[in-house]
Amino acid sequence: MTLTKRCIAEFIGTFWLVFGGCGSTVFAATFTGADLGNNVPFPLGIGFAGVSLAFGLTMLTMAYAIGHISGCHLNPAVSFGLWAGKRFPGSELLPYIVAQVLGASVAGGLIYLIASGAPNFALTGSNPLATNGFGEHSPGGYSLLSCLLIEVLLTFIFLMVILGVTDERAPQGFAPIAIGLCLTLIHLISIPVTNTSVNPARSTGVALFAGAELFSQVWLFWLAPIVGAILAGRVHNALFSTPGLEEASRLREPV
């Protein structure tokens, strides 16, 4: 498969990840009966659990759809982690990352366009358009250090799972399920802290349309996930890899 076709697959996959995950946050997380003009005695929105599941399902569905084409990274941190784990060539990092950021940005723009069609729409609150943030833009008011630590830690675990389940020695065909469920769990843990990034493209794609103040915090959601991913790649390669399998594993399983 040519690099161009693989980058197109990454564009489509990252678009779906951001549109499905962030879109569920914007459109469905806090929906109530009042929004329908009904006196419904309970909320209709999907809440934190629903948003977490939406992110996991987008990853799972795309891993089966394009994993055999591009590896289904959908995330610059994943690409860096696979490179650090000797599963992905450094020469292809930039094209993949450009495709991922473009896909996320198109998704962010469409979310903004659709959301702006609702009555009384405004970019208000700490996390408009499902942006990530720290301090006053953390859903729970967590500090920069807390947000840095959790993003590094959770991205580290995410990459350890990806590298493990896509190893030649792992059961074949189940990697997308494990990866999707891992991303779901990551969101269940950290939505109150950072609104969950672990993905620089996802953070950038929506922040572009949420205003300068939110965009000014995006640097953290590039730094922390990439650091966590590279650490995971190095650790997995040093402790758990078997000589000769790295190249055989490269892009064979969807990640």
Side-chain angles (χ1 to χ4, degrees), residues 50-76:
V51 171
S52 301
L53 185 59
F55 273 99
L57 288 173
T58 58
M59 176 60 74
L60 188 156
T61 53
M62 271 297 151
Y64 277 120
I66 66 169
H68 58 288
I69 298 171
S70 69
C72 193
H73 299 189
L74 316 188
N75 181 340

Side-chain angles (χ1 to χ4, degrees), residues 21 27 46 53 76 83 105 119 128 225 236:
F27 305 131
I46 60 176
L53 185 59
W83 165 75
S105 300
H236 192 277

Side-chain angles (χ1 to χ4, degrees), residues 13 50 89 108 168 218 225:
E168 279 268 305
V218 166

Side-chain angles (χ1 to χ4, degrees), residues 59 63 71-72 77-78 81-82 87 152-172 174-186 189 198 228-229 231-237 240 249 253-255:
M59 176 60 74
C72 193
V78 171
L82 293 172
R87 302 275 192 90
V152 170
L153 173 61
L154 292 179
T155 311
F156 176 88
I157 296 298
F158 191 37
L159 264 295
M160 291 296 288
V161 170
I162 289 171
L163 289 162
V165 299
T166 57
D167 191 286
E168 279 268 305
R169 297 161 290 179
Q172 301 298 298
F174 299 101
I177 298 172
I179 294 167
L181 288 175
C182 182
L183 190 59
T184 299
L185 178 56
I186 284 170
I189 295 167
V198 301
L231 285 173
R234 299 298 187 196
V235 168
H236 192 277
N237 190 57
F240 306 127
S249 297
E253 281 283 351
V255 298

Side-chain angles (χ1 to χ4, degrees), residues 38-155:
N38 300 325
N39 294 318
V40 179
F42 51 84
L44 300 175
I46 60 176
F48 284 178
V51 171
S52 301
L53 185 59
F55 273 99
L57 288 173
T58 58
M59 176 60 74
L60 188 156
T61 53
M62 271 297 151
Y64 277 120
I66 66 169
H68 58 288
I69 298 171
S70 69
C72 193
H73 299 189
L74 316 188
N75 181 340
V78 171
S79 297
F80 270 105
L82 293 172
W83 165 75
K86 301 186 185 300
R87 302 275 192 90
F88 188 70
S91 61
E92 295 183 0
L93 276 173
L94 182 59
Y96 262 55
I97 291 169
V98 170
Q100 291 156 4
V101 172
L102 287 175
S105 300
V106 172
L110 282 174
I111 291 170
Y112 174 78
L113 183 63
I114 295 167
S116 64
N120 303 317
F121 168 78
L123 291 172
T124 57
S126 61
N127 303 98
L129 300 182
T131 49
N132 304 114
F134 54 86
E136 65 180 337
H137 292 296
S138 158
Y142 286 83
S143 68
L144 188 156
L145 179 60
S146 294
C147 294
L148 173 69
L149 289 174
I150 201 165
E151 287 287 331
V152 170
L153 173 61
L154 292 179
T155 311

